[in-house]
Amino acid sequence: MRLFLASYRFGGFADRLAGLVGTPGRVAVIPNACDAWPDAWASAVTSDVKPLEQQGYSPDVLDLREYAGQPERLERHLRGFPMVWVRGGNTFVLRAQFARSGADSVLPALLREDALVYAGYSAGACLLGPDLHGLETMDDPAEVLPTTGIEPQWDGLGLVDRRLVVHLDSPTDPDGDSAAMLAHCVADGIPHWALTDNDVVLVDGDRTEVLRG
């Protein structure tokens, strides 16, 4: 299993992602964490596509809404990519869209098969923890039902064994919501990784590294 989990885009380690993937090639960009914000959706996609292109990747947008109830079709499509890139937004909305499309079973199976690399940041990284509890300090679960038609789910994909606390000391978090989530994890003894926007958790087979930028 190969995972690149960042607080913000590449963090300080675009080179380590390239090393995980090999030669940069096609990448499926999954922007569904932004589905609750239709006016910002297109610009959010563009803001990720351009940096990927600058790193030598060839991005294709993969909208999970187009695969609702079609996990077999989604799997066939994903097998054409050596990497997926799952951007930030609302983690609860992203989790719901993974459930509706079957990505919550398809992607873990492909990752265990080592068929592709999973690169995700912010919501795209937090999704892979054991659960989403605590993220309500940063993301609004109330956006899920009107956006996706289903209730929020609080389980993560469980591909890593601890929560990710992202955007520490970041200008994207002026209210200090990430610090509040971190304080809760520390107080309750919840295993976690605390990441600034320069940091990355990298998983390559049985090896896990926390890269500090």
Side-chain angles (χ1 to χ4, degrees):
M1 186 180 302
R2 289 171 293 160
L3 310 174
F4 182 91
L5 307 178
S7 175
Y8 188 69
R9 293 198 179 135
F10 304 101
F13 298 95
D15 59 327
R16 295 297 300 271
L17 176 59
L20 205 60
V21 176
T23 304
R26 296 182 72 211
V27 52
V29 176
I30 298 177
N32 296 97
C34 296
D35 287 352
W37 317 319
D39 292 343
W41 201 90
S43 61
V45 171
T46 301
S47 73
D48 274 15
V49 164
K50 289 189 178 300
L52 285 163
E53 289 175 339
Q54 290 167 357
Q55 293 292 330
Y57 298 94
S58 299
D60 284 332
V61 176
L62 193 160
D63 186 348
L64 293 177
R65 293 174 293 188
E66 298 176 2
Y67 295 85
Q70 303 178 71
E72 296 85 1
R73 178 173 164 251
L74 176 63
E75 180 184 349
R76 288 194 300 271
H77 191 58
L78 283 170
R79 284 190 179 276
F81 293 91
M83 179 174 118
V84 296
W85 175 271
V86 186
R87 67 154 288 134
N90 186 318
T91 314
F92 297 98
V93 170
L94 182 63
R95 177 68 183 93
Q97 301 295 36
F98 264 59
R100 292 178 69 240
S101 63
D104 55 355
S105 57
V106 168
L107 267 171
L110 291 174
L111 288 165
R112 293 187 177 104
E113 186 184 317
D114 200 29
L116 45 71
V117 171
Y118 183 106
Y121 74 89
S122 193
C126 295
L127 180 70
L128 269 58
D131 62 76
L132 307 187
H133 293 286
L135 286 165
E136 66 274 15
T137 63
M138 305 175 73
D139 300 336
D140 187 359
E143 291 184 333
V144 174
L145 184 59
T147 301
T148 69
I150 64 175
E151 295 289 343
Q153 296 183 219
W154 291 83
D155 61 319
L157 300 193
L159 294 177
V160 293
D161 62 0
R162 61 193 69 196
R163 294 180 187 173
L164 287 96
V165 182
V166 297
H167 302 311
L168 281 172
D169 302 320
S170 169
T172 64
D173 181 28
D175 297 327
D177 293 333
S178 58
M181 181 177 174
L182 176 59
H184 171 72
C185 289
V186 171
D188 289 358
I190 298 167
H192 63 278
W193 286 302
L195 306 179
T196 72
D197 284 348
N198 292 319
D199 300 336
V200 170
V201 175
L202 189 146
V203 177
D204 188 1
D206 58 2
R207 182 179 181 185
T208 299
E209 296 179 75
V210 181
L211 309 176
R212 300 294 184 188

